[in-house]
Amino acid sequence: MLGDYRITGRGAADIAASVERGIGTGALPPGHLLPPQRELATTLGVNPNTVAAAYRTLRERGLIETAGRRGSRVRHRPASTARDDTIRVDVPPGARDISDGNPDPALLPPLGPALAATAARSAGAPVLYGTPPISDRLAAVSRTGLAADGVPEAPLTVTSGSLDAVERVLAAHLRPGDAVAVEDPGWGSLLDLVPALGLRPVPMAVDDEGPLPGDAERALERGARALVVTARAQNPTGAALTAGRAAVLRAVLAAHPGVLLVEDDHGHHIVDLPLHTLTGVTRHWAFLRSAAKGYGPDLRVAVLTGDPLTIDRVAGRHRLGPGWVSHLLQETVAALWESGAVDPAAVAASYGSRREALRTALTERGLPARGRSGMNVWVPAPDETGAVARLLTAGWAVGPGARFRLASPPGIRLTVSRLTPADIPPLADAVAAALTPGAVRRYD
């Protein structure tokens, strides 16, 4: 059952650490069946309760999963290893990489002038311990933008990016074993984070308008304590909440006022679709808006607003760890937002023209493709692994759908941010050939 790997330890912590080492080295690969608790206890000469405690720790860390009498197995994507590490595409020399999900560097503003101006302003008044977590300037510009988009007025704080915000909000309310409703397909980093926190992801199918209300309702009725939704530019499908879908989902949430809602608007300033927020229906909610996609991933700044208890818990725990997010970065983001360093309409139009051109080209070749907003196109691919391999051979590295899926059908993600008009026809031809090998196609 374990091959050559021997689990060791006398205490629960040592046994759990031994299993974790095996997972980390690959000696206990994803899906591997672990010994029954009583059998391992006999082998190690310990009480079965000790092994049970070790397995419980491993489950809470997102490393193994237990399915009743079928036993305990290493998770197919253990939380100790990000899915980008386990489902990696090695890009050969000369191939075009459209798998990474990065924004177009040409559309990002230069940071030097804003950083220099911020540093000069703060030179005479350095930030010291005890300074409020969010700068007055960033708070002011954020409140203006949030109010214009219909987000309820509420306390603000700052985190180091979107995923940091989501992690802190979930940790502020949930405990290991709690269920979280997540989009499927959805953001791969979030799908890794949830089990890493010892939480159980519950998939909600997504169409172009956002999570399906029936799936959301079933997840909540079955005990999901939190729901995470992407407002716009959903990764990887490009879904964006419409007014109609938002109204239905708000009604679903209103019937479950104790559920924690987390809404991610990472598409802020790169999409031209209006925000239709779900916030304000449940007692506990959080809405986050980051600078990564529109202004640069290295600006590790996300503004977080929510009900007072949630923000108080997040800010309080943050003070005990990192303390605060650099005010130099906060002021720089505020300056960029205030100055119009990025023209959101122009950026959205640039991504939109590439995305729509690729979708149109794929449709002309008989392939369904999704991408209502943002910088990605999602294409169903029954033979996902084969399609990725064939596209690599053709000189295109694409994102394997397995990075983004729990129970949804397979597919591939194409990031359009660095495509030129001349790239679209050959890429669409390559995708068509990869998804339907052996078919003869000519597109002149």
PDB file of all heavy atoms in Angstrom, residues 210-245:
ATOM      1  N   GLY A 210     -22.267  34.290 -14.049  1.00  0.00           N
ATOM      2  CA  GLY A 210     -21.823  34.034 -12.690  1.00  0.00           C
ATOM      3  C   GLY A 210     -22.265  32.679 -12.182  1.00  0.00           C
ATOM      4  O   GLY A 210     -22.705  31.812 -12.952  1.00  0.00           O
ATOM      5  N   PRO A 211     -22.154  32.431 -10.870  1.00  0.00           N
ATOM      6  CA  PRO A 211     -22.552  31.140 -10.308  1.00  0.00           C
ATOM      7  C   PRO A 211     -24.028  30.848 -10.575  1.00  0.00           C
ATOM      8  O   PRO A 211     -24.875  31.747 -10.533  1.00  0.00           O
ATOM      9  CB  PRO A 211     -22.298  31.315  -8.806  1.00  0.00           C
ATOM     10  CG  PRO A 211     -21.300  32.416  -8.704  1.00  0.00           C
ATOM     11  CD  PRO A 211     -21.602  33.338  -9.846  1.00  0.00           C
ATOM     12  N   LEU A 212     -24.332  29.582 -10.839  1.00  0.00           N
ATOM     13  CA  LEU A 212     -25.721  29.193 -11.056  1.00  0.00           C
ATOM     14  C   LEU A 212     -26.472  29.264  -9.729  1.00  0.00           C
ATOM     15  O   LEU A 212     -26.040  28.673  -8.729  1.00  0.00           O
ATOM     16  CB  LEU A 212     -25.796  27.783 -11.620  1.00  0.00           C
ATOM     17  CG  LEU A 212     -25.117  27.551 -12.975  1.00  0.00           C
ATOM     18  CD1 LEU A 212     -25.386  26.127 -13.451  1.00  0.00           C
ATOM     19  CD2 LEU A 212     -25.594  28.557 -14.012  1.00  0.00           C
ATOM     20  N   PRO A 213     -27.599  29.967  -9.683  1.00  0.00           N
ATOM     21  CA  PRO A 213     -28.321  30.116  -8.421  1.00  0.00           C
ATOM     22  C   PRO A 213     -28.719  28.788  -7.784  1.00  0.00           C
ATOM     23  O   PRO A 213     -28.673  28.646  -6.556  1.00  0.00           O
ATOM     24  CB  PRO A 213     -29.554  30.934  -8.822  1.00  0.00           C
ATOM     25  CG  PRO A 213     -29.118  31.696 -10.026  1.00  0.00           C
ATOM     26  CD  PRO A 213     -28.195  30.781 -10.766  1.00  0.00           C
ATOM     27  N   GLY A 214     -29.111  27.812  -8.608  1.00  0.00           N
ATOM     28  CA  GLY A 214     -29.486  26.518  -8.045  1.00  0.00           C
ATOM     29  C   GLY A 214     -28.342  25.856  -7.315  1.00  0.00           C
ATOM     30  O   GLY A 214     -28.524  25.278  -6.235  1.00  0.00           O
ATOM     31  N   ASP A 215     -27.141  25.946  -7.889  1.00  0.00           N
ATOM     32  CA  ASP A 215     -25.968  25.372  -7.226  1.00  0.00           C
ATOM     33  C   ASP A 215     -25.641  26.120  -5.941  1.00  0.00           C
ATOM     34  O   ASP A 215     -25.282  25.516  -4.928  1.00  0.00           O
ATOM     35  CB  ASP A 215     -24.762  25.423  -8.164  1.00  0.00           C
ATOM     36  CG  ASP A 215     -24.792  24.318  -9.211  1.00  0.00           C
ATOM     37  OD1 ASP A 215     -25.879  23.754  -9.434  1.00  0.00           O
ATOM     38  OD2 ASP A 215     -23.735  24.030  -9.798  1.00  0.00           O
ATOM     39  N   ALA A 216     -25.747  27.436  -5.986  1.00  0.00           N
ATOM     40  CA  ALA A 216     -25.478  28.226  -4.783  1.00  0.00           C
ATOM     41  C   ALA A 216     -26.471  27.881  -3.680  1.00  0.00           C
ATOM     42  O   ALA A 216     -26.090  27.695  -2.511  1.00  0.00           O
ATOM     43  CB  ALA A 216     -25.542  29.712  -5.109  1.00  0.00           C
ATOM     44  N   GLU A 217     -27.743  27.769  -4.051  1.00  0.00           N
ATOM     45  CA  GLU A 217     -28.762  27.454  -3.055  1.00  0.00           C
ATOM     46  C   GLU A 217     -28.544  26.068  -2.456  1.00  0.00           C
ATOM     47  O   GLU A 217     -28.646  25.879  -1.240  1.00  0.00           O
ATOM     48  CB  GLU A 217     -30.150  27.551  -3.688  1.00  0.00           C
ATOM     49  CG  GLU A 217     -31.287  27.411  -2.696  1.00  0.00           C
ATOM     50  CD  GLU A 217     -32.609  27.823  -3.294  1.00  0.00           C
ATOM     51  OE1 GLU A 217     -32.714  27.883  -4.535  1.00  0.00           O
ATOM     52  OE2 GLU A 217     -33.538  28.093  -2.514  1.00  0.00           O
ATOM     53  N   ARG A 218     -28.216  25.088  -3.298  1.00  0.00           N
ATOM     54  CA  ARG A 218     -27.975  23.739  -2.779  1.00  0.00           C
ATOM     55  C   ARG A 218     -26.778  23.727  -1.834  1.00  0.00           C
ATOM     56  O   ARG A 218     -26.799  23.059  -0.793  1.00  0.00           O
ATOM     57  CB  ARG A 218     -27.754  22.765  -3.934  1.00  0.00           C
ATOM     58  CG  ARG A 218     -29.041  22.284  -4.594  1.00  0.00           C
ATOM     59  CD  ARG A 218     -28.785  21.186  -5.595  1.00  0.00           C
ATOM     60  NE  ARG A 218     -28.080  21.691  -6.774  1.00  0.00           N
ATOM     61  CZ  ARG A 218     -28.693  22.210  -7.823  1.00  0.00           C
ATOM     62  NH1 ARG A 218     -30.012  22.326  -7.830  1.00  0.00           N
ATOM     63  NH2 ARG A 218     -27.999  22.636  -8.863  1.00  0.00           N
ATOM     64  N   ALA A 219     -25.719  24.453  -2.200  1.00  0.00           N
ATOM     65  CA  ALA A 219     -24.535  24.489  -1.340  1.00  0.00           C
ATOM     66  C   ALA A 219     -24.876  25.073   0.025  1.00  0.00           C
ATOM     67  O   ALA A 219     -24.440  24.555   1.068  1.00  0.00           O
ATOM     68  CB  ALA A 219     -23.429  25.299  -2.005  1.00  0.00           C
ATOM     69  N   LEU A 220     -25.666  26.137   0.043  1.00  0.00           N
ATOM     70  CA  LEU A 220     -26.023  26.760   1.313  1.00  0.00           C
ATOM     71  C   LEU A 220     -26.988  25.896   2.114  1.00  0.00           C
ATOM     72  O   LEU A 220     -26.872  25.797   3.341  1.00  0.00           O
ATOM     73  CB  LEU A 220     -26.625  28.143   1.054  1.00  0.00           C
ATOM     74  CG  LEU A 220     -25.710  29.150   0.343  1.00  0.00           C
ATOM     75  CD1 LEU A 220     -26.391  30.501   0.220  1.00  0.00           C
ATOM     76  CD2 LEU A 220     -24.377  29.284   1.050  1.00  0.00           C
ATOM     77  N   GLU A 221     -27.926  25.260   1.435  1.00  0.00           N
ATOM     78  CA  GLU A 221     -28.868  24.389   2.138  1.00  0.00           C
ATOM     79  C   GLU A 221     -28.173  23.180   2.752  1.00  0.00           C
ATOM     80  O   GLU A 221     -28.634  22.620   3.754  1.00  0.00           O
ATOM     81  CB  GLU A 221     -29.977  23.946   1.192  1.00  0.00           C
ATOM     82  CG  GLU A 221     -30.958  25.066   0.842  1.00  0.00           C
ATOM     83  CD  GLU A 221     -32.022  24.625  -0.137  1.00  0.00           C
ATOM     84  OE1 GLU A 221     -31.851  23.523  -0.739  1.00  0.00           O
ATOM     85  OE2 GLU A 221     -33.009  25.367  -0.315  1.00  0.00           O
ATOM     86  N   ARG A 222     -27.041  22.776   2.146  1.00  0.00           N
ATOM     87  CA  ARG A 222     -26.300  21.629   2.670  1.00  0.00           C
ATOM     88  C   ARG A 222     -25.236  22.028   3.687  1.00  0.00           C
ATOM     89  O   ARG A 222     -24.414  21.203   4.071  1.00  0.00           O
ATOM     90  CB  ARG A 222     -25.672  20.867   1.508  1.00  0.00           C
ATOM     91  CG  ARG A 222     -26.712  20.187   0.616  1.00  0.00           C
ATOM     92  CD  ARG A 222     -26.094  19.585  -0.639  1.00  0.00           C
ATOM     93  NE  ARG A 222     -27.113  19.029  -1.514  1.00  0.00           N
ATOM     94  CZ  ARG A 222     -26.884  18.538  -2.716  1.00  0.00           C
ATOM     95  NH1 ARG A 222     -25.643  18.548  -3.198  1.00  0.00           N
ATOM     96  NH2 ARG A 222     -27.872  18.054  -3.447  1.00  0.00           N
ATOM     97  N   GLY A 223     -25.276  23.291   4.090  1.00  0.00           N
ATOM     98  CA  GLY A 223     -24.439  23.672   5.215  1.00  0.00           C
ATOM     99  C   GLY A 223     -23.212  24.503   4.904  1.00  0.00           C
ATOM    100  O   GLY A 223     -22.405  24.752   5.810  1.00  0.00           O
ATOM    101  N   ALA A 224     -23.016  24.940   3.652  1.00  0.00           N
ATOM    102  CA  ALA A 224     -21.865  25.799   3.365  1.00  0.00           C
ATOM    103  C   ALA A 224     -21.967  27.055   4.219  1.00  0.00           C
ATOM    104  O   ALA A 224     -23.000  27.723   4.243  1.00  0.00           O
ATOM    105  CB  ALA A 224     -21.803  26.162   1.887  1.00  0.00           C
ATOM    106  N   ARG A 225     -20.889  27.395   4.898  1.00  0.00           N
ATOM    107  CA  ARG A 225     -20.894  28.535   5.802  1.00  0.00           C
ATOM    108  C   ARG A 225     -20.374  29.800   5.149  1.00  0.00           C
ATOM    109  O   ARG A 225     -20.453  30.881   5.732  1.00  0.00           O
ATOM    110  CB  ARG A 225     -20.073  28.213   7.046  1.00  0.00           C
ATOM    111  CG  ARG A 225     -20.649  27.044   7.851  1.00  0.00           C
ATOM    112  CD  ARG A 225     -20.344  27.143   9.311  1.00  0.00           C
ATOM    113  NE  ARG A 225     -20.506  28.487   9.813  1.00  0.00           N
ATOM    114  CZ  ARG A 225     -19.651  29.050  10.679  1.00  0.00           C
ATOM    115  NH1 ARG A 225     -18.573  28.385  11.067  1.00  0.00           N
ATOM    116  NH2 ARG A 225     -19.851  30.271  11.126  1.00  0.00           N
ATOM    117  N   ALA A 226     -19.836  29.674   3.943  1.00  0.00           N
ATOM    118  CA  ALA A 226     -19.342  30.845   3.222  1.00  0.00           C
ATOM    119  C   ALA A 226     -19.516  30.622   1.734  1.00  0.00           C
ATOM    120  O   ALA A 226     -19.558  29.473   1.262  1.00  0.00           O
ATOM    121  CB  ALA A 226     -17.872  31.106   3.551  1.00  0.00           C
ATOM    122  N   LEU A 227     -19.626  31.730   0.992  1.00  0.00           N
ATOM    123  CA  LEU A 227     -19.733  31.684  -0.465  1.00  0.00           C
ATOM    124  C   LEU A 227     -18.767  32.727  -1.017  1.00  0.00           C
ATOM    125  O   LEU A 227     -18.791  33.885  -0.604  1.00  0.00           O
ATOM    126  CB  LEU A 227     -21.166  31.972  -0.899  1.00  0.00           C
ATOM    127  CG  LEU A 227     -21.484  31.872  -2.392  1.00  0.00           C
ATOM    128  CD1 LEU A 227     -22.912  31.384  -2.602  1.00  0.00           C
ATOM    129  CD2 LEU A 227     -21.303  33.232  -3.084  1.00  0.00           C
ATOM    130  N   VAL A 228     -17.901  32.284  -1.938  1.00  0.00           N
ATOM    131  CA  VAL A 228     -16.929  33.184  -2.564  1.00  0.00           C
ATOM    132  C   VAL A 228     -17.311  33.347  -4.028  1.00  0.00           C
ATOM    133  O   VAL A 228     -17.468  32.349  -4.745  1.00  0.00           O
ATOM    134  CB  VAL A 228     -15.496  32.635  -2.444  1.00  0.00           C
ATOM    135  CG1 VAL A 228     -14.492  33.637  -3.029  1.00  0.00           C
ATOM    136  CG2 VAL A 228     -15.147  32.325  -0.990  1.00  0.00           C
ATOM    137  N   VAL A 229     -17.464  34.584  -4.465  1.00  0.00           N
ATOM    138  CA  VAL A 229     -17.906  34.840  -5.830  1.00  0.00           C
ATOM    139  C   VAL A 229     -17.049  35.939  -6.448  1.00  0.00           C
ATOM    140  O   VAL A 229     -16.580  36.843  -5.757  1.00  0.00           O
ATOM    141  CB  VAL A 229     -19.401  35.240  -5.857  1.00  0.00           C
ATOM    142  CG1 VAL A 229     -19.629  36.535  -5.121  1.00  0.00           C
ATOM    143  CG2 VAL A 229     -19.941  35.336  -7.276  1.00  0.00           C
ATOM    144  N   THR A 230     -16.822  35.843  -7.753  1.00  0.00           N
ATOM    145  CA  THR A 230     -16.082  36.852  -8.496  1.00  0.00           C
ATOM    146  C   THR A 230     -17.063  37.776  -9.194  1.00  0.00           C
ATOM    147  O   THR A 230     -17.944  37.316  -9.927  1.00  0.00           O
ATOM    148  CB  THR A 230     -15.159  36.206  -9.545  1.00  0.00           C
ATOM    149  OG1 THR A 230     -14.391  35.180  -8.912  1.00  0.00           O
ATOM    150  CG2 THR A 230     -14.233  37.238 -10.161  1.00  0.00           C
ATOM    151  N   ALA A 231     -16.910  39.073  -8.970  1.00  0.00           N
ATOM    152  CA  ALA A 231     -17.873  40.021  -9.523  1.00  0.00           C
ATOM    153  C   ALA A 231     -17.759  40.150 -11.035  1.00  0.00           C
ATOM    154  O   ALA A 231     -18.771  40.147 -11.756  1.00  0.00           O
ATOM    155  CB  ALA A 231     -17.672  41.395  -8.876  1.00  0.00           C
ATOM    156  N   ARG A 232     -16.516  40.269 -11.531  1.00  0.00           N
ATOM    157  CA  ARG A 232     -16.273  40.475 -12.963  1.00  0.00           C
ATOM    158  C   ARG A 232     -14.947  39.828 -13.318  1.00  0.00           C
ATOM    159  O   ARG A 232     -14.120  39.557 -12.454  1.00  0.00           O
ATOM    160  CB  ARG A 232     -16.209  41.984 -13.279  1.00  0.00           C
ATOM    161  CG  ARG A 232     -17.435  42.754 -12.884  1.00  0.00           C
ATOM    162  CD  ARG A 232     -17.282  44.250 -13.109  1.00  0.00           C
ATOM    163  NE  ARG A 232     -16.476  44.897 -12.094  1.00  0.00           N
ATOM    164  CZ  ARG A 232     -16.369  46.217 -11.956  1.00  0.00           C
ATOM    165  NH1 ARG A 232     -17.015  47.024 -12.787  1.00  0.00           N
ATOM    166  NH2 ARG A 232     -15.614  46.753 -11.009  1.00  0.00           N
ATOM    167  N   ALA A 233     -14.747  39.575 -14.628  1.00  0.00           N
ATOM    168  CA  ALA A 233     -13.482  39.006 -15.114  1.00  0.00           C
ATOM    169  C   ALA A 233     -13.138  37.719 -14.380  1.00  0.00           C
ATOM    170  O   ALA A 233     -11.992  37.499 -13.990  1.00  0.00           O
ATOM    171  CB  ALA A 233     -12.344  40.028 -14.981  1.00  0.00           C
ATOM    172  N   GLN A 234     -14.137  36.852 -14.205  1.00  0.00           N
ATOM    173  CA  GLN A 234     -13.915  35.623 -13.460  1.00  0.00           C
ATOM    174  C   GLN A 234     -12.815  34.796 -14.115  1.00  0.00           C
ATOM    175  O   GLN A 234     -12.734  34.685 -15.338  1.00  0.00           O
ATOM    176  CB  GLN A 234     -15.221  34.818 -13.388  1.00  0.00           C
ATOM    177  CG  GLN A 234     -15.245  33.732 -12.343  1.00  0.00           C
ATOM    178  CD  GLN A 234     -14.926  32.342 -12.883  1.00  0.00           C
ATOM    179  OE1 GLN A 234     -14.613  32.171 -14.065  1.00  0.00           O
ATOM    180  NE2 GLN A 234     -15.018  31.339 -12.031  1.00  0.00           N
ATOM    181  N   ASN A 235     -11.976  34.244 -13.291  1.00  0.00           N
ATOM    182  CA  ASN A 235     -10.865  33.410 -13.755  1.00  0.00           C
ATOM    183  C   ASN A 235     -11.225  31.952 -13.504  1.00  0.00           C
ATOM    184  O   ASN A 235     -11.464  31.578 -12.360  1.00  0.00           O
ATOM    185  CB  ASN A 235      -9.605  33.783 -12.963  1.00  0.00           C
ATOM    186  CG  ASN A 235      -8.354  33.083 -13.443  1.00  0.00           C
ATOM    187  OD1 ASN A 235      -8.369  32.394 -14.452  1.00  0.00           O
ATOM    188  ND2 ASN A 235      -7.273  33.246 -12.710  1.00  0.00           N
ATOM    189  N   PRO A 236     -11.351  31.129 -14.595  1.00  0.00           N
ATOM    190  CA  PRO A 236     -10.821  31.327 -15.933  1.00  0.00           C
ATOM    191  C   PRO A 236     -11.853  31.643 -17.014  1.00  0.00           C
ATOM    192  O   PRO A 236     -11.480  31.789 -18.173  1.00  0.00           O
ATOM    193  CB  PRO A 236     -10.226  29.951 -16.220  1.00  0.00           C
ATOM    194  CG  PRO A 236     -11.214  29.013 -15.586  1.00  0.00           C
ATOM    195  CD  PRO A 236     -11.669  29.711 -14.330  1.00  0.00           C
ATOM    196  N   THR A 237     -13.154  31.736 -16.676  1.00  0.00           N
ATOM    197  CA  THR A 237     -14.178  31.751 -17.723  1.00  0.00           C
ATOM    198  C   THR A 237     -14.537  33.138 -18.233  1.00  0.00           C
ATOM    199  O   THR A 237     -15.228  33.252 -19.245  1.00  0.00           O
ATOM    200  CB  THR A 237     -15.476  31.090 -17.218  1.00  0.00           C
ATOM    201  OG1 THR A 237     -16.083  31.948 -16.232  1.00  0.00           O
ATOM    202  CG2 THR A 237     -15.200  29.721 -16.630  1.00  0.00           C
ATOM    203  N   GLY A 238     -14.130  34.199 -17.509  1.00  0.00           N
ATOM    204  CA  GLY A 238     -14.515  35.540 -17.918  1.00  0.00           C
ATOM    205  C   GLY A 238     -15.928  35.924 -17.531  1.00  0.00           C
ATOM    206  O   GLY A 238     -16.437  36.966 -17.971  1.00  0.00           O
ATOM    207  N   ALA A 239     -16.597  35.132 -16.707  1.00  0.00           N
ATOM    208  CA  ALA A 239     -17.965  35.447 -16.299  1.00  0.00           C
ATOM    209  C   ALA A 239     -18.016  36.779 -15.560  1.00  0.00           C
ATOM    210  O   ALA A 239     -17.044  37.210 -14.940  1.00  0.00           O
ATOM    211  CB  ALA A 239     -18.512  34.333 -15.409  1.00  0.00           C
ATOM    212  N   ALA A 240     -19.169  37.432 -15.629  1.00  0.00           N
ATOM    213  CA  ALA A 240     -19.401  38.675 -14.896  1.00  0.00           C
ATOM    214  C   ALA A 240     -20.857  38.689 -14.452  1.00  0.00           C
ATOM    215  O   ALA A 240     -21.760  38.369 -15.238  1.00  0.00           O
ATOM    216  CB  ALA A 240     -19.099  39.888 -15.770  1.00  0.00           C
ATOM    217  N   LEU A 241     -21.090  39.040 -13.203  1.00  0.00           N
ATOM    218  CA  LEU A 241     -22.450  39.067 -12.682  1.00  0.00           C
ATOM    219  C   LEU A 241     -23.288  40.093 -13.445  1.00  0.00           C
ATOM    220  O   LEU A 241     -22.874  41.248 -13.602  1.00  0.00           O
ATOM    221  CB  LEU A 241     -22.444  39.427 -11.198  1.00  0.00           C
ATOM    222  CG  LEU A 241     -21.940  38.359 -10.228  1.00  0.00           C
ATOM    223  CD1 LEU A 241     -21.802  38.954  -8.826  1.00  0.00           C
ATOM    224  CD2 LEU A 241     -22.869  37.165 -10.207  1.00  0.00           C
ATOM    225  N   THR A 242     -24.448  39.668 -13.905  1.00  0.00           N
ATOM    226  CA  THR A 242     -25.407  40.587 -14.517  1.00  0.00           C
ATOM    227  C   THR A 242     -26.375  41.069 -13.442  1.00  0.00           C
ATOM    228  O   THR A 242     -26.442  40.512 -12.334  1.00  0.00           O
ATOM    229  CB  THR A 242     -26.204  39.882 -15.619  1.00  0.00           C
ATOM    230  OG1 THR A 242     -26.907  38.774 -15.032  1.00  0.00           O
ATOM    231  CG2 THR A 242     -25.284  39.374 -16.723  1.00  0.00           C
ATOM    232  N   ALA A 243     -27.149  42.094 -13.768  1.00  0.00           N
ATOM    233  CA  ALA A 243     -28.121  42.607 -12.807  1.00  0.00           C
ATOM    234  C   ALA A 243     -29.138  41.526 -12.438  1.00  0.00           C
ATOM    235  O   ALA A 243     -29.491  41.359 -11.264  1.00  0.00           O
ATOM    236  CB  ALA A 243     -28.819  43.836 -13.381  1.00  0.00           C
ATOM    237  N   GLY A 244     -29.603  40.779 -13.447  1.00  0.00           N
ATOM    238  CA  GLY A 244     -30.585  39.735 -13.171  1.00  0.00           C
ATOM    239  C   GLY A 244     -30.035  38.626 -12.310  1.00  0.00           C
ATOM    240  O   GLY A 244     -30.683  38.175 -11.346  1.00  0.00           O
ATOM    241  N   ARG A 245     -28.817  38.158 -12.631  1.00  0.00           N
ATOM    242  CA  ARG A 245     -28.226  37.080 -11.845  1.00  0.00           C
ATOM    243  C   ARG A 245     -27.930  37.546 -10.421  1.00  0.00           C
ATOM    244  O   ARG A 245     -28.137  36.805  -9.453  1.00  0.00           O
ATOM    245  CB  ARG A 245     -26.950  36.582 -12.525  1.00  0.00           C
ATOM    246  CG  ARG A 245     -26.199  35.473 -11.771  1.00  0.00           C
ATOM    247  CD  ARG A 245     -27.030  34.197 -11.592  1.00  0.00           C
ATOM    248  NE  ARG A 245     -27.559  33.700 -12.823  1.00  0.00           N
ATOM    249  CZ  ARG A 245     -26.862  32.958 -13.701  1.00  0.00           C
ATOM    250  NH1 ARG A 245     -25.615  32.626 -13.434  1.00  0.00           N
ATOM    251  NH2 ARG A 245     -27.424  32.545 -14.819  1.00  0.00           N
TER     252      ARG A 245
END
